[in-house]
Amino acid sequence: MLGNLHPLPKLALCLIWIGASVLVFDLRFQLVTLTLAFGLLWGLQRVALWKLLALMVPFALFGFGFLTTSVLFNAESGFALQMANEQALAAPDISPGLVLFTRALACGMVSALFALTTDPGGLVRALMVHLRLPAPVGFALMQAMHLVPDLAREMQVLRMARAMRLGRPMRRLPGPGEVMALTIPLLAFAIRRATRAALAMEARGLRPNAPRTQREILPFQTRDGLAFGMGVGVLAAVLWLV
Amino acid sequence: MPHTAVWTLRETLIVAVLGAVFGVLYLGWVQVWLILQAIFGAVTMDVVMGFWFIVSIIAAAIIRKPGVALVSEVMAAAVQILLGSPAGLLLLLTGLVQGAGAEAVFAATRWRRWSLPVLMAAGVGAAVASFAYTWVRFDYGSLAPGLLMLMFVLRCASGALLGGLLGHLIVKALYKTGVLSGLAIERDLRGAHV
Amino acid sequence: MSDVLACDGVAVRYPFAAADAVGPLTLRLARGDRVLLLGPSGCGKSTLLQALTGLIPAALPGARRGQLHLFGQPVESRSPADWAAQVAFLFQDADQTLAGFTLADELAFALENRALPPDDIAARVAQAMAQAGLHPDWMGRRIATLSGGQKQMVALTAVLAQGADLVVADEPTASLAPGAAKMMADLLLAPGKTVLIVDHRLGPVLDRIDRVVVLGRDGQTLAEGPPDKVFASHGADLAAQGIWTPLATRLRLALAAQGVSVPAVVQVADLVAHLPPHADLAPLLLPAACQSGTETLRLNRVDCAPPFGPVVLRNISLGLRAGEVLGILGPNGAGKSTLAACLAGLIPPRAGQRTGPPGAMAFQNADSHFAAETTRAECLAMGVPAADCAALLAGWGLDHVATQHPFSLSAGQKRRLALALLTATDRWPVLVLDEPTAGLDHAGTTRIAGHIRRLAGMGKTLAVITHDADFALSVCDRVIVLAEGRVQADGPARTVLRDTALLQRCGLAPPEAAPLLHWMDRTPC
Ligand SMILES: Nc1ncnc2c1ncn2[C@@H]1O[C@H](COP(=O)(O)OP(=O)(O)OP(=O)(O)O)[C@@H](O)[C@H]1O
Ligand SMILES: Nc1ncnc2c1ncn2[C@@H]1O[C@H](COP(=O)(O)OP(=O)(O)OP(=O)(O)O)[C@@H](O)[C@H]1O
Ligand SMILES: [Mg+2]
Ligand SMILES: [Mg+2]
């Protein structure tokens, strides 16, 4: 459903929303944002609940530091206070740590909403068609976007090879020592993959500054405008309410 | 292969990919910082800061061309924002400033020297630039001069060690894996008879 | 000049190398020529192909000497990317041909670069997918979620969709199951196309090419001409260099050593007609009988899934005995590699139980094994004593690349290194080899077959995944056929591999030696 929308208005809307989330230092606004993103993914996009919760773990971890300092240590981290002071729209009575925690979750979920409903190829192609992004840069971005999930797969293979070499069975989750040992091979994999992709593209005729068909899968449609308008409207209503 | 200041397709891809990978690592480092900060207090930020300069140093040391340090750092910042960094959109500016600090040092050598001292100096360059930036942003003028001095020294040391030295070690380890063959670093290290 | 391709005294040397990797050699392709380049592993075939459109030296480090013309123009007059409109290039490694996007992006990529109209691109992509039998639902799939053979199918489809005047293909069918390999060879080598192809396995390509050019170990031309002439007159030379020759040629030479002489035929069917009743074929085709021991490894109703992938094999129960070699056959994407990781105990099953000692596995992609700086260091890291390393590498023909980085080896050299590392020690009671012969020349295949039987003789438990039914026949005691998520057949190799109906239903083919097996049954000895 959301996957059928044109990526550019969707991106604009998500960025506007993330911007608002950064500027509006208010717990309620962050909670509404979080709930909305979560609800869209769960209700409309039918993403499994366990997947959504798993997705929130890393974002929660980033926000967790603020929460621990503010709730457990009963003191605000200097950074959180500073961030709170910087914001024009801050409500002073709520713990900044808590706001930062929910903000990390909210921004994370909005990003996830975009990432899960957008094909990287479609996005990059839209950028190349409408914003005149040069093709080599566009494909470099596309490569980077595809790389992140492939790193996880490669890590699994590296772990198998390592377990075999060391002669001990593989654990389900890598320990800290194993992660350290895998950092350089993973970085090397990323660079090797960039190298090979560059060669593949060159061998198949990608030239900088040469005319190139920009094949766009999705044209702009009325529903894109409608969705964008609706998103901005909801944002305005929420802002007015809080 | 021709050796010009223009980035080849391969180099563009490597910068993008390194930016993406280090964007993820930087976010992990935020976590390390916050935990340490809860334990050790305010100056921790200056101690751990250097790691956030590392991609500009690694990418530049591998590719050895103008603009690499700056663009890779900005790319890493952009990835962090997309992944939901708590620092928000301002991170783009932070990345720009830090990348420019490292780039300035490389520019001073006219992108010709890549020894460990130069890489460490680039780390310090990024530290100085980021110190000036945080001065404005967090109003450091109101802090005691002694504390300021300490923070400045710590941040420069962190830039030199966590940025420059660690970056150098990672580049050396990467060189050994053979993936850098055909790049500027190999031409310089093995002599330019290609 | 009317030649599509003209090489005169072309030689290529890698940076920091003491000798040329290939050449100097002279080669011509006229329009409509379908030429097979044959040679032992490491002789420089891939290197030569990469120089043809100027990738070496423009995009890959290396230096070329000699004159090289494409369509009458010097190669260096254009960039490799500019040649892509006329020359389609399939790298030896499918992961190198593809850039790692989704299928839709990959297949259209080269056509977009030629600035063709969008409708034209869509039509060509759809046609190529239909020809190759790729399901339209795959359009949104990411390359990284495909099996090894599926990747190769997609890479080939992308190259075919390009519609270039000249196709240069490096081992296009090495990891395809026989049915798929035949189909793709038909498309790639259709009459009238101009194709330069490298392949070790002659099976699917032999009767579709006009000319074969054979390179020797030194990277220079050893023989050239129509296939039957070359194999008839140079068979012994080729065999001595470890190059694949047709089965009939190999058997003829082996029988000559037994004192049995048969005429120089290229087809197995012709050979059967000329076999004297006292010819002893069994030692040439089948493994020596082995005592298999007790059951050491058992899968009990397991479900297997690739990392981060869905369950592809359900409810598999399988027992392996010590000293037994199990062959695993099946179409591309059947889940063989997934089963291999499960058998070796490297991926825990999603459901069910695996009982048995932990094992080792030779990955389908040999690159995954390498972590060290040089070939020799790789050997030391595996726990082989320094004193034995030199002999081990020499035995596998890797002594001259001992100080080279593993990733800069040729595909066959990588495969041999990975296999050498796994078979050098006896630390693993269970060993699973995933397509060990893909990309190997005849010498390498003979060597790994010897090691497999040696380890079986020592009482190890082995499983071998292969698309080569003749190889399976020569090393396996027992064979299972995997398709549609189930074990379709399980039995002695000689029985299962002659069940033509079953094999055809699963996209496989009986071994080339099948007529000889029938002959052996008919001839009491
Ligand atoms: N990048 C490189 N640097 C140095 N040497 C290389 C490099 N690539 C290949 N070689 C060496 O050049 C020789 C020829 O390699 P090439 O890949 O062309 O062989 P090949 O004939 O294609 O073999 P195979 O059948 O195994 O694929 C090999 O000995 C290989 O080790
Ligand atoms: N991450 C994934 N997501 C979806 N499907 C996957 C994923 N990984 C693998 N698959 C599918 O799982 C199936 C089994 O893959 P596997 O690599 O085991 O096949 P295989 O039998 O070894 O094939 P081949 O002969 O081509 O090597 C394939 O159909 C593949 O498309
Ligand atoms: Mg090759
Ligand atoms: Mg496989």
Side-chain angles (χ1 to χ4, degrees), chain B residues 117-136:
Chain B
V118 174
L119 297 190
M120 288 173 74
V124 175
V128 172
S130 95
F131 198 78
Y133 167 70
T134 40
W135 184 303
V136 175

Side-chain angles (χ1 to χ4, degrees), chain C residues 76-100:
Chain C
E76 50 281 359
S77 65
R78 297 198 209 166
S79 75
D82 288 325
W83 282 117
Q86 283 158 290
V87 186
F89 196 99
L90 180 84
F91 287 91
Q92 187 161 12
D93 183 352
D95 274 327
Q96 176 62 81
T97 310
L98 304 169

Side-chain angles (χ1 to χ4, degrees), chain A residues 35-53:
Chain A
T35 318
L36 267 178
F38 197 95
L40 281 177
L41 275 176
W42 188 42
L44 213 56
Q45 209 55 34
R46 304 251 165 244
V47 181
L49 197 58
W50 68 266
K51 259 193 200 160
L52 281 178
L53 291 178

